């Protein structure tokens, strides 16, 4: 029903910045909460940030709070993750997801993108 495509990943030095984009299909995107998750090799997928349908509410994992900012532009069917002050431990595949609830648990999200690689060198 909803297709999501991430972009903007790449290689960056520690302390640098990247902005990830999540382009969504369909006219119902604006009704969904959006979450960003990441998965490093050999590790479980972890929550990064989420935003509700209206952008009135956001929530971040403690590990990224103050460094990452999640936003969305419903008119463009796009969500973003601005990542500043990147650290090597931020290296992971980053996924965007859409769901019917504003939540930090991945199980609440029904639609997932293919992921984009972020690599932070020390």
């Amino acid at each position: 029903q909803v297709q999501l495509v991430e972009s903007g990943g790449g290689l960056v030095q520690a302390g640098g910045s990247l902005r990830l984009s999540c382009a969504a299909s369909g006219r119902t995107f604006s009704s969904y909460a959006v979450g960003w998750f990441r998965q490093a090799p050999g590790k479980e997928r972890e929550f990064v940030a989420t935003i509700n349908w209206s952008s009135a509410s956001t929530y971040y994992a403690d590990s990224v709070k103050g460094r990452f900012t999640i936003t969305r532009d419903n008119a463009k069917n796009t969500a973003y993750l601005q990542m500043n002050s990147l650290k090597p431990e931020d290296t992971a595949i980053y996924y965007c997801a859409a769901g019917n609830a504003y939540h930090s648990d991945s199980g609440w999200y029904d639609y997932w993108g293919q992921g984009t690689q972020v690599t932070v060198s020390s």
Side-chain angles (χ1 to χ4, degrees):
Q1 183 179 359
V2 177
Q3 290 184 291
L4 306 172
V5 180
E6 302 95 334
S7 62
L11 176 65
V12 64
Q13 289 186 322
S17 298
L18 285 173
R19 189 180 77 159
L20 306 183
S21 297
C22 175
S25 67
R27 60 186 179 183
T28 61
F29 173 74
S30 62
S31 68
Y32 290 102
V34 171
W36 284 95
F37 297 81
R38 66 188 183 185
Q39 188 168 20
K43 296 184 64 178
E44 180 64 64
R45 179 177 56 192
E46 66 174 351
F47 167 75
V48 176
T50 187
I51 187 168
N52 82 326
W53 66 272
S54 68
S55 299
S57 299
T58 59
Y59 181 71
Y60 299 89
D62 288 341
S63 60
V64 306
K65 194 173 299 181
R67 299 188 297 120
F68 291 11
T69 303
I70 185 171
T71 57
R72 67 189 297 167
D73 186 340
N74 288 341
K76 296 181 178 179
N77 278 2
T78 303
Y80 306 92
L81 184 69
Q82 178 67 46
M83 305 184 295
N84 299 325
S85 301
L86 283 162
K87 305 174 181 179
E89 51 263 45
D90 295 319
T91 295
I93 300 175
Y94 283 71
Y95 300 89
C96 67
N100 291 318
Y102 167 75
H103 211 280
S104 60
D105 288 347
S106 62
W108 284 97
Y109 296 88
D110 299 314
Y111 309 103
W112 294 80
Q114 83 292 338
T116 185
Q117 178 70 47
V118 172
T119 302
V120 184
S121 62
S122 60

